[in-house]
Amino acid sequence: MKSIQQMSKQYRVTARTLRYYEELGILSPNRQGNTRLYSQREEAKMKLIVRGKKFGFTLDEIKEMVHLFNADQTGIKQLERTIQFGDEKIALIDEQIVELMKIRTELEQMKYDFQLKLLSLKGDSS
């Protein structure tokens, strides 16, 4: 069992963040009086939260994955849903890449046009 301070330090989040995850129903630490104690199961959830946030999942999506694991100890439903979320994120990233490439192309063209204009202006003034 780990304290809230130990969890905060290990996962580089504030104690308030851990309490917020608890408020959302993602984490469920044990209580001894006012002290929160995090089991290995809660640590596994925290790892999922950190990984999910890293890959751009929303807290609602992460919460759904955690609850699926709680409902199905085999992890099958959680993995199926996580794969579905992953496919959606990959599609979104692909769309963003296409859009960024368009923006890059437009910026390169604008830069080229401005360079030609600058050369023209400099040529007129000499």
Side-chain angles (χ1 to χ4, degrees):
M1 298 288 247
K2 290 188 177 176
S3 70
I4 196 167
Q5 292 83 13
Q6 291 168 319
M7 288 287 284
S8 295
K9 185 175 181 179
Q10 181 175 344
Y11 293 99
R12 297 182 181 146
V13 296
T14 64
R16 180 170 174 0
T17 297
L18 292 171
R19 288 190 293 271
Y20 179 64
Y21 294 158
E22 182 181 355
E23 191 178 304
L24 293 176
I26 301 173
L27 293 177
S28 304
N30 296 320
R31 297 278 191 138
Q32 286 184 353
N34 287 336
T35 304
R36 291 171 170 83
L37 296 173
Y38 296 85
S39 65
Q40 288 181 341
R41 183 172 182 78
E42 295 308 303
E43 279 198 72
K45 291 178 188 179
M46 191 62 198
K47 287 177 187 174
L48 179 63
I49 293 167
V50 169
R51 191 176 307 131
K53 288 179 65 62
K54 175 182 174 184
F55 292 120
F57 292 109
T58 67
L59 286 176
D60 284 338
E61 291 167 336
I62 294 167
K63 181 179 179 179
E64 183 179 338
M65 288 184 273
V66 167
H67 285 294
L68 283 172
F69 182 74
N70 289 340
D72 174 20
Q73 295 297 313
T74 67
I76 292 171
K77 290 180 181 179
Q78 180 193 38
L79 288 172
E80 289 172 341
R81 187 64 173 129
T82 302
I83 289 167
Q84 183 181 8
F85 280 141
D87 287 342
E88 292 168 7
K89 291 293 178 203
I90 289 168
L92 179 63
I93 289 167
D94 287 343
E95 289 174 19
Q96 291 171 333
I97 288 171
V98 168
E99 185 60 30
L100 287 170
M101 291 302 295
K102 286 179 186 176
I103 292 169
R104 184 179 196 280
T105 300
E106 289 174 20
L107 282 171
E108 286 176 336
Q109 183 61 50
M110 187 173 53
K111 176 185 168 190
Y112 176 77
D113 292 344
F114 288 167
Q115 287 172 328
L116 287 178
K117 179 73 172 174
L118 181 61
L119 285 173
S120 171
L121 291 171
K122 284 184 175 181
D124 289 346
S125 65
S126 34

